[in-house]
Amino acid sequence: MRPRFRSPQSRVVTIVSVVGLLALAACGSDDAGSDETSAEPSVDATSEPATEGESSAAAGGLGDVCPATVTIQTDWNPEAEHGALYQMVGEGYTIDADLKTVTGPLVDSSGAETGIDIQVRAGGPAIGFQAPSAQLYQDTDITLAYVATDEAVSVAEDLPTLAVVAPLDINPQIIMWDPGTFPDVETIADIGATDTRVLYFQGAAYMEYLTGEGILKAEQVDGSYDGSPTTFVAENGGVAQQGFATAEPYIYKNEIAEWGKDVGFQLIHDTGYPIYAAPLAIRTDDLETLTPCLELLVPIVQQAQIDYVADPATANALILELVGEYNTGWVYSEGVAEFSVENQLELGIVGNGDDTTLGNFDLDRVQTVIDIAAPIFEAGGKVIPEGLAPEDLVTNEFIDETIGLS
């Protein structure tokens, strides 16, 4: 059977990966406090047709200020968490199954071409499990890459990045458990009050946080998790393990016959580790050059995320097509994709944050990540710039504040 899960190197910022110029791979949840999020998202002012002079795709205006192809490096195989990117890929796209890329006209919310192409590159196995930030610097054809906030902290000295928009507001990563075995457990801290073994991918920075804060005990965590359900099933749910709120709860109940029931979980975000998991970032030194492009492009990305969760069918069809064409061993079903979108909304993984805008950054939240992550990475031997500030890692300069879920 082909593996269904992310490999140990995937989608997790690790202590190991940030030492030695990120030579190793690093890529990158029950109640997220998102009761105000609507299941039928819409936008206000920006849903109106563009008029002359507006930053819209209607006149192909991106061609005057952007690269001919805006290339985006993701952190993993195609999946619904990347929906905003695939939403922007118009008809007539081409797939390179060897390089694991899809390239097509970049379209706006109305489906109009913007005058440039978009190329979305798979991460994880497609790039040897390198961190997106490392890939961003190794290949200057890449315009933007997914760089999680803690990853940005870890590479700020050697590979500085600046995130310009956050399609996901909350990290979907979780610790999960069997509610039948642990009927009184509601949080990760409850697991920490027991001696239950907690499986995770070795070196994950969030685990250093959880053990450092006493939420979990150092002696109960086990970094041998390989992405397989084998141990969880074999132990009849007697262990807890990491996962993603947008995947594992569905997979374990519907696609693992040996389990076939619900799991309990809590978002790692809700323990006080509030990274932005998949913001789009540029090389910091490219800011001046890319500013005219980003002024037009970022609002299109914001709107694409809203359009995707409102009607994901077209983008999901492309995601499933790419999974099949790339044939990396990644198994991803239509059911998982649909479930992912539902949970992205239900848990506020896609959401407006604390205001009415989707895609912007809370600088206080970024400062919290710096305060938590910098000591963790420094303890692992990484140099963190003195006085590192949120403005060094993220910017709201290009965000259209009128675009948000309602």
Side-chain angles (χ1 to χ4, degrees):
M1 183 177 70
R2 295 192 300 175
R4 296 171 179 266
F5 301 92
R6 298 164 177 83
S7 79
Q9 295 95 339
S10 68
R11 300 190 58 185
V12 181
V13 176
T14 66
I15 303 302
V16 173
S17 69
V18 296
V19 179
L21 201 60
L22 293 175
L24 299 178
C27 313
S29 291
D30 186 67
D31 178 10
S34 57
D35 294 339
E36 296 179 1
T37 302
S38 169
E40 298 181 0
S42 61
V43 294
D44 34 33
T46 53
S47 64
E48 297 297 326
T51 59
E52 185 176 358
E54 287 186 317
S55 57
S56 168
L62 297 191
D64 296 330
V65 292
C66 290
T69 301
V70 165
T71 300
I72 302 177
Q73 178 65 61
T74 70
D75 57 357
W76 192 242
N77 292 292
E79 56 185 350
E81 291 92 327
H82 305 165
L85 306 188
Y86 296 109
Q87 186 74 22
M88 294 186 289
V89 179
E91 296 181 1
Y93 56 81
T94 60
I95 299 171
D96 189 321
D98 294 326
L99 295 178
K100 310 296 187 288
T101 66
V102 59
T103 307
L106 194 155
V107 298
D108 70 2
S109 182
S110 71
E113 296 186 8
T114 62
I116 64 171
D117 286 340
I118 180 173
Q119 181 177 100
V120 182
R121 299 185 179 185
I127 56 174
F129 299 103
Q130 282 195 330
S133 56
Q135 194 73 4
L136 184 64
Y137 271 85
Q138 290 177 16
D139 187 346
T140 56
D141 287 340
I142 298 172
T143 315
L144 302 121
Y146 282 149
V147 181
T149 320
D150 51 359
E151 181 182 339
V153 172
S154 75
V155 300
E157 178 72 16
D158 299 321
L159 308 173
T161 62
L162 185 70
V164 297
V165 61
L168 302 185
D169 187 58
I170 289 175
N171 176 17
Q173 204 161 21
I174 61 173
I175 299 294
M176 60 183 244
W177 57 83
D178 174 26
T181 303
F182 302 103
D184 298 325
V185 167
E186 296 183 357
T187 68
I188 296 170
D190 292 338
I191 288 288
T194 73
D195 294 325
T196 305
R197 187 159 55 118
V198 181
L199 303 175
Y200 75 104
F201 293 142
Q202 182 64 46
Y206 76 81
M207 190 58 77
E208 295 292 325
Y209 163 75
L210 292 176
T211 56
E213 291 294 310
I215 297 170
L216 293 174
K217 296 185 287 287
E219 58 268 24
Q220 76 180 133
V221 301
D222 179 350
S224 66
Y225 183 53
D226 63 358
S228 164
T230 301
T231 301
F232 192 90
V233 172
E235 295 283 343
N236 294 315
V239 297
Q241 73 182 30
Q242 76 167 64
F244 288 78
T246 46
E248 271 78 1
Y250 178 89
I251 292 169
Y252 273 67
K253 184 173 184 177
N254 298 283
E255 297 185 355
I256 298 177
E258 298 84 355
W259 188 254
K261 53 187 175 181
D262 289 326
V263 296
F265 64 87
Q266 186 187 24
L267 289 158
I268 289 169
H269 173 93
D270 289 344
T271 68
Y273 193 74
I275 66 167
Y276 291 93
L280 289 173
I282 62 171
R283 293 172 289 269
T284 300
D285 286 348
D286 287 348
L287 177 60
E288 182 176 355
T289 301
L290 287 176
T291 286
C293 175
L294 295 171
E295 288 173 344
L296 304 186
L297 178 63
V298 166
I300 293 175
V301 176
Q302 292 176 265
Q303 185 65 50
Q305 181 62 285
I306 290 172
D307 293 343
Y308 172 69
V309 295
D311 185 5
T314 299
N316 278 355
L318 175 56
I319 288 168
L320 295 172
E321 180 183 5
L322 294 174
V323 169
E325 290 288 333
Y326 293 171
N327 193 28
T328 64
W330 172 240
V331 176
Y332 199 72
S333 69
E334 182 177 2
V336 177
E338 292 175 350
F339 171 84
S340 177
V341 175
E342 292 171 2
N343 257 19
Q344 286 179 41
L345 287 169
E346 181 178 346
L347 299 177
I349 291 164
V350 171
N352 295 339
D354 294 331
D355 53 21
T356 59
T357 301
L358 182 144
N360 58 348
F361 300 94
D362 180 332
L363 298 187
D364 290 339
R365 178 173 158 189
V366 175
Q367 183 63 60
T368 296
V369 176
I370 294 172
D371 293 342
I372 293 171
I376 291 174
F377 291 120
E378 287 175 327
K382 190 67 180 175
V383 175
I384 305 299
E386 185 176 354
L388 185 67
E391 293 83 0
D392 298 322
L393 304 179
V394 305
T395 179
N396 289 320
E397 177 181 356
F398 309 108
I399 296 292
D400 185 333
E401 295 181 355
T402 68
I403 299 178
L405 293 167
S406 61

